[in-house]
Amino acid sequence: MDLIGLDIGSTGAKCIITNSDGNVMAQAYEEYSMESPISGYFELNPQIVWEAVQSIMHSVIREYNKRSTHLAGISISSFGEAAVFIDKEGRELGNSLLYIDSRGNEQLKAFIKKIEADEIIHKTGLKPHSMYTLSKLMWYREEQPDIYAKIHTFLPFGSYILYKLGAGPILDYSLASRTMAFDVRRLQWDEHIIEVAGLHKRIFPEIAALGTVVGQISLEAAQNFGLPSDFKLVLGGHDQVCAAIGAGITEEGSAVDGIGTVECITPVFSKETINQQDMASSNLALVPFIKGKYATYAFNFTGGSLLKWYRDQFGYEEKMEADLTGRSVYDIMSENVSDSPTNILVLPHFAGSGTPYMNPLAVGAVLGIDFNTTKSDLFRALMEGVTYEMRQNIECLEQAGIRIDKLRACGGGAKSDLWLQIKADIMNKTIVALDIDEAGILGTIILCGVALGEFSSYEEATRRLVKVNKTFHPQAKNRKQYDENYAKYKRLYQAVNEVMSNEPMER
């Protein structure tokens, strides 16, 4: 049985076809651009996304058909918060507002005067924030009533693509949890929150668990893509949840560390084991997972993007060498880095801060340089700074009752032995590097395979598809210096934000 996995990101979409052993048979990627009509407005055109998806699906299916013709189903992961508004005829009602769009701020302020924040946190697992779909819907109700009146339903992008392929308007629990209107314990829309928000309950779509078979492809879509009429549509979910599944994270005590542009640690746990007040104080969401478990996201907006910044600003010679030799520029930059920790402290808030502070005004800082500091020292210090930030996030997770014994690393940063050893040393955790380029898409393949009976369980799918590359253990020789530096690091956020007057500072 061969399966299609699709990931919809905010800047591009990727499609992969694999067989049941995880061997990639065809893949394609296509970028698209967000639109920013005025300052603070950030939108994504659903039609542009659908055109990109059609393009890459046609590409992979053409390539695949040269070798085989046994495609059975598809599942899709996508980013959350943004939603496509759809009218009664199934037409899109304009662009989608992305999570970084400023619209909804004023509506949220009015909303939380009518309802206790603790009620929102207890029900939805989220601290109130304008990024979530609920705030954007309230903005449309007030500022674009003509469009709001035409909304028949709304769908996040993964569900929107399934809808275009023939599924009904339906989304999974993990994407529903990114709306701020979903009760993550009762696994249903919360009517009181929707009523206080002044929204119509009828526009909220059907919801179901990750991995639910939601139908088969429509005749039109089957003809468009050359797929069999019994081709199945399987409900995927939020990209971070799918990445956890693709990394083989299904039981408590484990977490995936996705080291991409953004770094995100996603652990799995039972809700009975956590302290939700501590979760909320660290801005940690409560997200429904598989097998009755939950997940959360501890993240920093700058992960690999910080090394890209270094490459673009200081790595001209290394980039020239990489272009000439075909080697990775990051491997070349790593060659001259010392094996010993630096005493340079980097606050990696170059694009604001993620958890635990969630401060969009936070700024980065580099402390402890002198005339003996080399650019290789700075390169290592950047990796250390991001890792100190993630160690602080792990402490917040553990304070909330979420145990992490081992981290499975994936994403572009997981290809750096240097960075993974730094992580093991600073976090004092075993780091397992996975031989996976696209954990999120592999997660959709696993969801699809389990749903269609190709795998008897998630555990079997993990054994067959998730492959380990290398394992990194903490080195005792670096522990003392890193612990001392980390104690200093924890004081940086407050000190820098006091100097720069970038509120808020409290969690």
Side-chain angles (χ1 to χ4, degrees), residues 27-186:
Q27 60 182 310
Y29 173 80
E30 187 165 319
E31 290 186 358
Y32 36 75
S33 299
M34 71 175 69
E35 300 175 17
S36 183
I38 63 173
S39 178
Y41 284 26
F42 298 95
E43 305 173 357
L44 192 58
N45 186 328
Q47 284 293 335
I48 296 297
V49 175
W50 173 231
E51 289 169 7
V53 167
Q54 291 184 86
S55 173
I56 59 177
M57 284 187 62
H58 280 300
S59 176
V60 297
I61 291 168
R62 277 196 306 270
E63 178 64 26
Y64 169 84
N65 284 339
K66 295 176 183 177
R67 290 182 282 174
S68 185
T69 55
H70 299 95
L71 284 170
I74 187 172
S75 187
I76 306 173
S77 70
S78 75
F79 66 102
E81 295 87 43
V84 181
F85 299 158
I86 298 169
D87 69 13
K88 287 182 179 180
E89 283 71 43
R91 297 173 301 201
E92 300 83 359
L93 293 167
N95 289 352
S96 299
L97 310 189
L98 294 174
Y99 63 94
I100 53 175
D101 191 287
S102 62
R103 282 168 281 189
N105 287 333
E106 295 306 314
Q107 287 72 24
L108 178 70
K109 291 175 184 177
F111 171 68
I112 58 178
K113 290 179 180 178
K114 303 174 186 176
I115 186 170
E116 292 290 336
D118 285 348
E119 179 181 347
I120 298 170
I121 292 167
H122 176 75
K123 289 179 174 179
T124 70
L126 301 171
K127 284 185 74 172
H129 198 286
S130 63
M131 78 168 77
Y132 300 118
T133 319
L134 190 78
S135 299
K136 309 308 183 189
L137 283 165
M138 289 190 292
W139 183 87
Y140 267 95
R141 185 202 67 214
E142 291 187 9
E143 302 296 332
Q144 297 286 339
D146 291 345
I147 292 178
Y148 179 76
K150 295 177 183 178
I151 297 175
H152 176 65
T153 192
F154 65 88
L155 293 170
F157 274 86
S159 296
Y160 164 68
I161 298 301
L162 280 181
Y163 179 74
K164 299 291 283 187
L165 293 174
I170 187 169
L171 70 160
D172 85 293
Y173 300 151
S174 68
L175 282 169
S177 74
R178 306 308 291 170
T179 64
M180 206 172 69
F182 183 69
D183 190 318
V184 293
R185 289 175 173 77
R186 295 187 298 147

Side-chain angles (χ1 to χ4, degrees), residues 399-437:
Q399 183 179 344
I402 300 171
R403 187 183 84 254
I404 297 178
D405 302 322
K406 184 183 296 184
L407 284 167
R408 290 186 162 212
C410 62
K415 297 176 182 178
S416 169
D417 289 1
L418 171 64
W419 200 356
L420 295 187
Q421 188 60 60
I422 288 172
K423 285 181 172 294
D425 293 347
I426 289 178
M427 295 177 175
N428 196 32
K429 305 279 185 187
T430 297
I431 310 292
V432 178
L434 299 177
D435 191 14
I436 296 170
D437 288 330

